[in-house]
Amino acid sequence: MSQEFAALYVVPTPLGHLGDLSLRAMDILRQVAWVAAEDTRHSAPLLRHFGSNARLLPCHQHNEEAAAQQVLARLAAGESVALVVDAGTPAVSDPGAALVARVRAAGFRIVPLPGPCAAVVALSAAGIETSHFLFCGFLPSKAGPRAQALAELADVPYALIFYEAPHRIVDTAVALRAAFGERRRVVLARELTKLYEEFHDCVLADLEQWLLADTDRQRGEFVLIVAGAPPAAADGEGERVLSLLLAEGLPVSQASRLAQAITGASRKALYSAALRMQSGD
Ligand code: SAM
């Protein structure tokens, strides 16, 4: 590529199905002098497969600043660089943002290519209302911080997108039910674009059992799409259950938490309703 067009190309790569590399991405990978890759051993066969002879330089979460210096040097020499990660779109729960920021600050062109991203692929086939959605990436791996992160999301009225690894999928199913209630709808997308691609649509009350019923269901890579919280006002059913729990003498916070777990109504709205009920308003 000529010096005039030296740029950093941000190139999404397939999640599993090699046919998902776009023609434009293939073209760029064949033309650039360098490819900055999350894992050079992983990307080398992919580049060979698509006929790219680009040289590789590592760019992962532990060397992104040093990699940025190398990329800037290549761009300054008039050579174009493509940025790739192991699968999907760079900078989405993956390295890339720091490198892009450095390259932009140095005044070089950045050209993003559209392409595979597990969150968007799952969302497109979830069948969940998605006029608004929130990408949450990976939850914290430790139970306490994970519960805290989920508590902060419990009342968000938008579809929530989570990434998850196989060894944590069951724990996450349990944590989601505890935080969002039994009745919240969830769509699990597994092994997207691969041989064992699977979607499962259920409520959070049923997700753990579905996963435990067949260990094959716990294999592979996962995206979870959880429907947004129901409207902020505690609905009739929420308030009915809440008043029963309060009448049994449960404290406000416990009654609100249980009413949310049983009905799926917003915990914040239930808590306000409980305070109102107790004060006799
Ligand atoms: N940058 C990638 C993207 O654009 O989607 C995401 C990389 S992140 C390190 C890896 C996570 O993405 C996996 O743990 C899983 O949650 C999700 N993921 C990647 N490939 C997937 C696939 N084929 N099916 C389902 N989820 C996938």
Side-chain angles (χ1 to χ4, degrees), residues 53-69:
N53 296 317
R55 281 168 287 174
L56 282 153
L57 62 89
C59 175
H60 47 74
Q61 59 173 348
H62 303 297
N63 82 335
E64 218 175 324
E65 287 299 328
Q69 296 311 319

Side-chain angles (χ1 to χ4, degrees), residues 8-279:
L8 175 68
Y9 293 89
V10 183
V11 180
T13 51
L15 299 171
H17 194 302
L18 290 181
D20 292 335
L21 190 86
S22 75
L23 291 175
R24 186 174 171 214
M26 200 183 310
D27 212 30
I28 294 293
L29 292 177
R30 285 177 180 161
Q31 288 185 51
V32 291
W34 293 88
V35 171
E38 181 186 10
D39 180 344
T40 53
R41 284 167 309 177
H42 179 94
S43 295
L46 186 88
L47 294 179
R48 270 199 305 277
H49 178 85
F50 288 112
S52 166
N53 296 317
R55 281 168 287 174
L56 282 153
L57 62 89
C59 175
H60 47 74
Q61 59 173 348
H62 303 297
N63 82 335
E64 218 175 324
E65 287 299 328
Q69 296 311 319
Q70 281 186 274
V71 169
L72 289 173
R74 307 288 25 125
L75 293 169
E79 293 176 312
S80 284
V81 181
L83 169 66
V84 301
V85 290
D86 290 355
T89 300
V92 178
S93 289
D94 258 332
L99 171 63
V100 165
R102 283 306 183 98
V103 170
R104 178 164 295 127
F108 291 105
R109 248 177 11 122
I110 296 165
V111 183
L113 273 64
C117 174
V120 177
V121 174
L123 198 64
S124 72
I128 274 185
E129 213 287 302
T130 52
S131 49
H132 296 81
F133 58 86
L134 181 64
F135 176 67
C136 307
F138 290 100
L139 284 163
S141 55
K142 295 211 171 94
R146 183 173 54 212
Q148 176 63 37
L150 288 173
E152 286 165 18
L153 294 168
D155 291 331
V156 174
Y158 311 144
L160 303 173
I161 308 176
F162 298 97
Y163 281 168
E164 199 44 280
H167 60 285
R168 282 205 287 267
I169 190 69
V170 175
D171 286 351
T172 295
V174 173
L176 286 170
R177 183 181 60 207
F180 298 165
E182 310 255 311
R183 303 265 296 277
R184 195 84 77 90
R185 187 173 159 212
V186 59
V187 173
L188 172 147
R190 188 172 82 83
E191 293 291 84
L192 290 163
T193 77
K194 302 184 190 175
L195 183 59
Y196 295 108
E197 178 179 273
E198 181 174 32
F199 280 81
H200 183 66
D201 191 337
C202 64
V203 289
L204 286 171
D206 299 335
L207 185 58
E208 180 194 5
Q209 279 315 311
W210 182 82
L211 286 162
L212 293 175
D214 179 349
T215 52
D216 281 347
R217 293 175 180 167
Q218 300 162 39
R219 291 181 202 278
E221 302 194 90
F222 297 89
V223 181
L224 292 166
I225 312 238
V226 180
D235 56 15
E237 178 65 358
E239 292 213 10
R240 194 183 69 77
V241 171
L242 184 65
S243 65
L244 290 173
L245 294 169
L246 289 171
E248 289 297 310
L250 266 65
V252 165
S253 60
Q254 195 182 357
S256 319
R257 187 167 50 73
L258 285 174
Q260 188 225 2
I262 295 165
T263 67
S266 151
R267 188 182 304 182
K268 204 189 280 176
L270 287 165
Y271 191 83
S272 312
L275 292 175
R276 206 178 58 240
M277 287 175 193
Q278 286 229 316
S279 68

